[in-house]
Amino acid sequence: MGVIVVVGGQWGDEGKGKVVDLLAEDARIVLRSQGGNNAGHTVVVDDRTFKFNLIPSGILHPATVCVIGNGVVLDPRVLLEEVEQLERAGADLSNLVISERAHMIMPYHPVLDRLEEAARGDDRLGTTFRGVGPAYSDKVRRIGFRVGDLQKLRFLEKKLDFVLPLKNDILVKLYSAAPFTKESILEEYTGYASRLDRFIRDPFPIVQEAVASGERVILEGAQGTMLDLDLGTYPYVTSSYPSSGGALAGAGLGPRHVSTTLGIFKAYTTRVGYGPFPTELDDAQGEYLRERGSEYGTTTGRPRRVGWFDAAVARYAVAVNGIDSIALTKLDVLDELEVVRVCTGYVSKGMPEDHPMANISHLKHLEPQYEELPGWGRSTREVRKFEDLPKEAVSYVQRLEELAGAQVDLISVGPGREETIRRRESW
Ligand code: GDP
Ligand code: IMO
Ligand code: MG
C-alpha cells in the first residue's frame, strides 16, 4: 500500500477534499501536511456537505487516524470551531491527533495579514486574511509558537515576553494600530490549551509504525503547485510548500515509502486572489463556468477566477511533484459546452514556452496556444465507467493525459462520493 501523496496541480480548490475522503476508506492515516486555515476542503456525503479548514478530510471514516502534521499552521479558535461543529454532526474525533510541532496562528497574525495587504496597495496578493503568511514568517524567524507550547504555559509566557514587544512595535509604530497585551493572549491561549489537550501528541510513532507495516497513509495537501512558495507564481503564492516535497517535510516522511503521487486537477482552471493566470476567461464563458461549477471560495466566499485547462501548468506540476497518477475533477461542469479549449503551451515575446516561467511579468503577457476539442453535449453525472463516457469526453481526457504526461486514474463527475469513475482498482 504505502504512502499516497495528494497534491493540488493548479491554484488550489481542485477537489482534494473529495478525493482524499474517497481514498481514506482504506487508509490507516490521513495526515494534513501543510498550509493552514486558508484552505477549505469540501466533502459531500449523501445530502450532507462538510467543509474542512484544518481537520483532515479522512475524518468521516471512524477507523482512520487523522493527523494535523508538523508542516501546518493552525488558528486554535478555528480548529475548535471545526471540532465542535463536527462533534455536533455526530463525527467521532477520538482519532484526531495534532502534532506538537505544528505552529499556531497568534491573534496578531491575521491583523498583520490585513495591514500588510493594505500597505501593498495595488500590488496586494489577495490573501485569505487568516494570518497564514505572518505565522509562517515567524516560524522561519524562529519566533513562532507551536501547539506543544500549549502544554508548557510558563514557557509560552516567557516567549511572549520576548516576541510580543516585537509585534507591538510594528503594529503601533508602523501601522498606528492597537497593541496586544500579554494578559489577554495568555488568557485566550490558556483556554485553548485545556480544550485542545486531548488531541496534542507526537504523531511520529503512529506514522512510522503505519508506514513500516505497509499500511496506507495519505498525505493531504492544501493549496496547489502554482501557489507554492518556491515553485508557484511568486509573490502571488501562499507562504508554504503545497508541492510533494513540502508534503513530505510537513509529515516527517522521506520519499522511500511513497507509492503514488496523486495530482488533483480540475477539468478547467480556477484561481482565487491576484496574480498571473494565462488561460483566464474574463467574459461570459468564464461567468458561465463559474456559475455552473459553483466557483466561490470555500473559506472566504470570494468568486473564483475561471479559465480553460492549462496543460503547460499541468505538465509542470507533473514534473515538479513527480505525479504518476491524476484525479480529474469537475468534468461534468463542461458537459454542455459545444467546444472545449485546452492550452497546450505559450508564446512569449515570439518564442514558444512549454512551461510557466519564473518571471511573472512574462507570465502575465504571454499568449496561450489553444487547441479546440468538440464538446459532448450531454450529462456525465450518472456515468460510472470510463467506457460509458461520451466519446468526445473520452478524447478530452486522453488528450489531457498526453499533454500532462501522466495517466488519469480517477474522474469526478459530481461532488458526491458515488459520482466518480475509477480506472484503477487500488492505489
Ligand atoms: P479543495 O480545496 O481542493 O478540497 O476543493 P474545494 O472543496 O475548495 O472546491 C471544490 C468544490 O467542487 C467543492 O464544492 C466540491 O464539493 C466540488 N466538487 C468536487 N468534485 C466535483 C465534481 O466532480 N463535480 C462538481 N460539479 N463539483 C465537484
Ligand atoms: P485549498 O486547500 C485556493 C490563495 C489565496 C491567495 C494566496 C495567498 O482549499 O485548495 P494566503 O492566505 O495563503 O496567504 O493567500 O493563496 N490560497 C488559496 N487559493 N485554495 C486554497 O486552499 C488557498 N489557500 C490560499 O487566495 O491568492
Ligand atoms: Mg478549497
Side-chain angles (χ1 to χ4, degrees):
M1 279 218 167
V3 176
I4 301 178
V5 179
V6 175
V7 291
Q10 295 156 320
W11 278 277
D13 301 326
E14 297 89 349
K16 298 175 291 292
K18 166 172 171 169
V19 175
V20 168
D21 166 70
L22 276 180
L23 300 183
E25 199 176 2
D26 27 52
R28 177 82 191 111
I29 297 177
V30 174
L31 183 152
R32 242 303 282 279
S33 47
Q34 59 79 46
N37 43 285
N38 46 356
H41 297 178
T42 315
V43 176
V44 178
V45 183
D46 302 325
D47 54 356
R48 296 174 83 186
T49 299
F50 298 85
K51 291 181 190 295
F52 304 120
N53 296 126
L54 288 161
I55 292 187
S57 302
I59 199 74
L60 302 176
H61 300 276
T64 304
V65 177
C66 283
V67 179
I68 298 182
N70 58 271
V72 170
V73 295
L74 64 87
D75 189 329
R77 185 185 54 80
V78 175
L79 179 63
L80 281 163
E81 273 171 23
E82 219 174 312
V83 163
E84 278 161 17
Q85 248 177 41
L86 271 168
E87 285 188 330
R88 270 200 304 274
D92 175 7
L93 296 196
S94 54
N95 271 335
L96 177 66
V97 174
I98 308 172
S99 168
E100 306 154 303
R101 289 181 161 88
H103 276 245
M104 288 190 287
I105 292 178
M106 302 300 282
Y108 40 80
H109 288 137
V111 176
L112 287 165
D113 200 348
R114 270 182 195 278
L115 292 168
E116 284 170 18
E117 274 283 89
R120 284 176 188 266
D122 287 347
D123 293 328
R124 64 195 184 280
L125 309 175
T127 75
T128 58
F129 293 142
R130 297 300 188 265
V132 167
Y136 274 118
S137 310
D138 282 359
K139 171 177 172 176
V140 174
R141 281 181 71 191
R142 292 159 293 179
I143 56 168
F145 288 83
R146 303 200 295 178
V147 168
D149 298 348
L150 292 176
Q151 295 177 321
K152 300 175 288 183
L153 289 169
R154 292 279 299 279
F155 172 78
L156 188 145
E157 179 175 0
K158 201 163 152 242
K159 194 152 64 170
L160 267 178
D161 283 331
F162 165 58
V163 175
L164 195 55
L166 298 178
K167 297 292 154 190
N168 279 340
D169 247 18
I170 295 174
L171 286 167
V172 175
K173 293 186 187 158
L174 193 61
Y175 294 117
S176 307
F180 284 88
T181 66
K182 185 175 92 174
E183 291 66 34
S184 70
I185 295 181
L186 267 181
E187 193 189 328
E188 185 181 343
Y189 281 66
T190 304
Y192 298 147
S194 57
R195 292 165 69 199
L196 286 176
D197 190 61
R198 62 181 164 137
F199 302 118
I200 305 172
R201 268 201 282 167
D202 182 1
F204 177 78
I206 313 168
V207 173
Q208 291 299 323
E209 194 193 309
V211 166
S213 52
E215 289 177 294
R216 172 175 287 182
V217 174
I218 297 172
L219 305 191
E220 178 179 9
Q223 291 84 46
T225 306
M226 299 307 289
L227 288 170
D228 187 279
L229 188 52
D230 275 5
L231 302 167
T233 47
Y234 188 90
Y236 298 96
V237 291
T238 191
S239 294
S240 63
Y241 301 98
S243 52
S244 57
L248 293 176
L253 281 171
R256 185 158 64 101
H257 300 287
V258 175
S259 57
T260 303
T261 303
L262 178 63
I264 319 292
F265 292 86
K266 241 176 232 186
Y268 50 100
T269 311
T270 61
R271 169 165 208 171
V272 211
Y274 302 106
F277 179 178
T279 62
E280 182 165 15
L281 285 164
D282 218 353
D283 56 11
Q285 179 83 75
E287 189 59 34
Y288 167 83
L289 288 174
R290 176 162 37 250
E291 292 311 314
R292 187 166 160 97
S294 309
E295 295 297 355
Y296 292 88
T298 311
T299 304
T300 57
R302 290 179 290 176
R304 294 175 182 149
R305 298 158 65 193
V306 176
W308 295 118
F309 189 88
D310 187 336
V313 161
R315 210 157 40 230
Y316 176 74
V318 163
V320 298
N321 291 297
I323 289 169
D324 52 6
S325 179
I326 289 178
L328 188 70
T329 63
K330 303 190 97 162
L331 186 68
D332 56 298
V333 175
L334 307 181
D335 281 350
E336 287 178 358
L337 299 183
E338 276 174 26
V339 168
V340 190
R341 297 177 97 192
V342 183
C343 165
T344 54
Y346 316 122
V347 169
S348 174
K349 294 185 175 165
M351 298 295 290
E353 290 285 349
D354 74 344
H355 68 278
M357 55 283 269
N359 186 324
I360 54 153
S361 58
H362 290 178
L363 202 48
K364 267 183 193 159
H365 295 116
L366 46 69
E367 293 163 42
Q369 304 298 296
Y370 287 109
E371 203 171 274
E372 284 195 350
L373 285 91
W376 41 97
R378 69 177 166 94
S379 174
T380 55
R381 289 285 292 258
E382 310 300 326
V383 178
R384 301 292 173 262
K385 286 194 200 134
F386 188 62
E387 51 277 19
D388 293 342
L389 278 173
K391 69 177 191 328
E392 296 85 355
V394 168
S395 302
Y396 182 64
V397 173
Q398 288 172 339
R399 187 65 183 131
L400 299 194
E401 287 180 319
E402 260 168 36
L403 290 167
Q407 190 170 319
V408 173
D409 286 323
L410 188 149
I411 300 168
S412 176
V413 289
R417 273 180 180 166
E418 67 295 343
E419 291 170 313
T420 306
I421 299 169
R422 291 171 188 258
R423 295 177 74 194
R424 180 168 157 172
E425 283 290 301
S426 67
W427 267 264

